């Protein structure tokens, strides 16, 4: 089972400047790759690597693995939206892996690749997330938010083997179906629709469109204030639903049964007008 641990980086002023330049340069490279992808129609990560890898490294002065991660980020975007000219925020999140990011949990420090070389940066983390970081760590996204840097780290949790006593103690099963229209529907009839999330998502989209068309300094401040609010609202909604389902299952001593929807975004296609809604589906 994979869970995400969030760490807040504590860079010096010089390190923060280096991190920001690295993030901007990496996303500029992503946009360059995206432009080529849109014009050429080539979406395969490996064929893109053959075509533009050396150009990306030379033009943007990126290390080998950062260039590979940029290619992967673009290829993943085109899996979701293959017919769209994908645009990349210059300060958008960027994926790191173990070749360019190392954790030293004993002293709460990371060694991370930047344009200026490897930087050792302290971090702070909550107690629950600190325990996650002791597990096997996969990809981590470097995020810049409200002037601060965060690492969102994918952690692989061990799956405990149930004993015979545990199996015998289970008294039935609670099935949970997840969908775009209905966030979750249980096998005993409870249902949570996505209406509220859809309304909030559309409100934020309309508000962003209006502010971007205005383009004033105050409008840009308001855009920054709105940044992340939609995602936080949706996370809170999903968390509330999850807790209710788990509480019901615990009260009945039931096991929760879920379909494995890994890769569903890549396996399904939707009409253009439904893409934003479909990509907003946090089925996991």
């Amino acid at each position: 089972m994979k869970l995400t641990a969030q760490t807040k980086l504590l860079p010096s002023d010089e390190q923060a400047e280096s991190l920001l330049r690295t993030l901007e340069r990496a996303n500029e490279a992503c946009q360059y790759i995206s432009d080529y992808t849109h014009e050429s129609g080539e979406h395969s990560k490996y064929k893109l690597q053959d075509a533009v890898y050396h150009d990306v490294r030379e033009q943007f002065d990126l290390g080998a693995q950062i260039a590979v991660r940029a290619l992967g980020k673009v290829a993943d975007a085109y899996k979701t939206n293959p017919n769209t000219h994908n645009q990349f925020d210059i300060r958008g999140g960027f994926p790191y892996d173990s070749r360019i990011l190392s954790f030293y949990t004993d002293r709460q420090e990371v060694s991370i690749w930047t344009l200026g070389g490897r930087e050792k940066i302290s971090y702070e983390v909550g107690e629950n997330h600190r325990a996650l970081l002791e597990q096997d760590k996969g990809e981590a996204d470097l995020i810049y938010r409200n002037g601060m840097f965060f690492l969102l780290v994918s952690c692989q949790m061990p799956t405990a083997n149930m004993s015979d006593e545990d199996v015998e103690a289970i008294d039935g099963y609670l099935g949970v179906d997840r969908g775009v229209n209905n966030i979750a529907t249980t096998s005993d009839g409870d249902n949570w629709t996505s209406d509220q999330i859809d309304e909030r998502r559309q409100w934020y989209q309309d508000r962003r469109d209006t502010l971007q068309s205005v383009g004033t300094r105050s409008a840009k401040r308001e855009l920054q204030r709105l940044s992340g609010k939609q995602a936080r609202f949706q996370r809170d909604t999903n968390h509330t639903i999850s807790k209710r389902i788990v509480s019901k299952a615990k009260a009945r001593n039931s096991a929760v049964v879920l379909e494995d929807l890994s890769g569903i975004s890549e396996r399904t296609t939707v009409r253009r007008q439904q893409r934003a809604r479909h990509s907003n589906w946090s089925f996991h």
Side-chain angles (χ1 to χ4, degrees), residues 49 53 57 61-71 100 113:
Q49 187 163 325
Y53 169 78
R57 289 203 61 190
D61 193 27
L62 297 178
Q65 194 61 18
I66 285 283
V68 169
R69 301 310 302 165
L71 287 158
I100 46 179
W113 189 94

Side-chain angles (χ1 to χ4, degrees), residues 134-173:
E134 296 299 329
Q135 309 301 324
D136 290 337
K137 292 176 281 295
E139 185 177 289
D141 287 337
L142 176 63
I143 304 294
Y144 182 68
R145 184 192 304 148
N146 299 326
M148 296 175 287
F149 291 93
F150 300 87
L151 283 170
L152 305 184
V153 189
S154 175
C155 302
Q156 182 67 47
M157 298 296 292
T159 302
N161 294 321
M162 299 181 69
S163 66
D164 292 339
E165 290 79 8
D166 292 330
V167 174
E168 290 175 0
I170 293 174
D171 185 19
Y173 299 88

